[in-house]
Amino acid sequence: MRHKLNGSRPSAFISSTFQDLYKERELVAAALTERGVLVNALEEIPASTSNSKVNILQGIDESDFVVLILGTRYGTILPSMTDSHEISVTHWEYNEALKRGKSILALYRDWE
C-alpha cells in the first residue's frame, strides 16, 4: 500500500468487489495516479485474513477519500473480516469509511 506523504498529495482508497471489477479498479487507479493522487488498494492481497482487515482499515485511515466502485455483485460475506454474517467486505469497507468521516466517490459499472 502507498501512504500519504506529509499531506502533500491527496490519497484515495479504492473499494469494490474484487474479481468482477478488477479491470475497473486498475483503470481508476491509473487515472488517479496520472492526476497525482496516491492510491491505497489491496490489489495483491484478497480480503480473506485478519492481516487484510488491518491493512484495509489502515488504507482507509491514511486516505483522504474513498472511491467505491459498484457493479452487479454484492460481494463476499466474510464474518472473520466484517464481524457480520450479513454484509459483504465491500459494504463493510463503505461503512468503515463513513465511520471515519471520509468523502466517498461512488462509481457504478453498468454492463448493459
Side-chain angles (χ1 to χ4, degrees):
M1 241 189 250
R2 289 183 168 165
H3 301 278
K4 191 167 144 182
L5 303 172
N6 301 323
S8 60
R9 290 172 44 186
S11 60
F13 180 85
I14 298 176
S15 175
S16 74
T17 52
F18 194 77
Q19 291 179 328
D20 61 325
L21 295 172
Y22 188 79
K23 183 162 182 70
E24 288 77 4
R25 291 174 68 92
E26 284 183 338
L27 291 169
V28 168
L32 291 169
T33 300
E34 194 174 287
R35 288 160 180 79
V37 177
L38 295 173
V39 176
N40 290 322
L42 296 175
E43 305 308 71
E44 301 83 33
I45 308 169
S48 62
T49 68
S50 60
N51 284 343
S52 292
K53 182 176 184 175
V54 170
N55 290 337
I56 289 167
L57 293 174
Q58 183 178 13
I60 293 169
D61 286 338
E62 292 174 351
S63 296
D64 295 307
F65 63 98
V66 171
V67 178
L68 175 64
I69 307 170
L70 302 169
T72 58
R73 289 186 61 241
Y74 181 65
T76 304
I77 296 173
L78 291 174
S80 62
M81 282 283 295
T82 64
D83 299 323
S84 170
H85 291 277
E86 298 174 2
I87 67 168
S88 70
V89 173
T90 305
H91 191 161
W92 172 78
E93 289 173 342
Y94 170 78
N95 288 343
E96 291 300 320
L98 286 177
K99 285 181 195 174
R100 288 161 167 73
K102 301 296 178 173
S103 296
I104 298 170
L105 171 63
L107 305 172
Y108 176 69
R109 169 65 163 100
D110 185 4
W111 277 268
E112 294 183 37

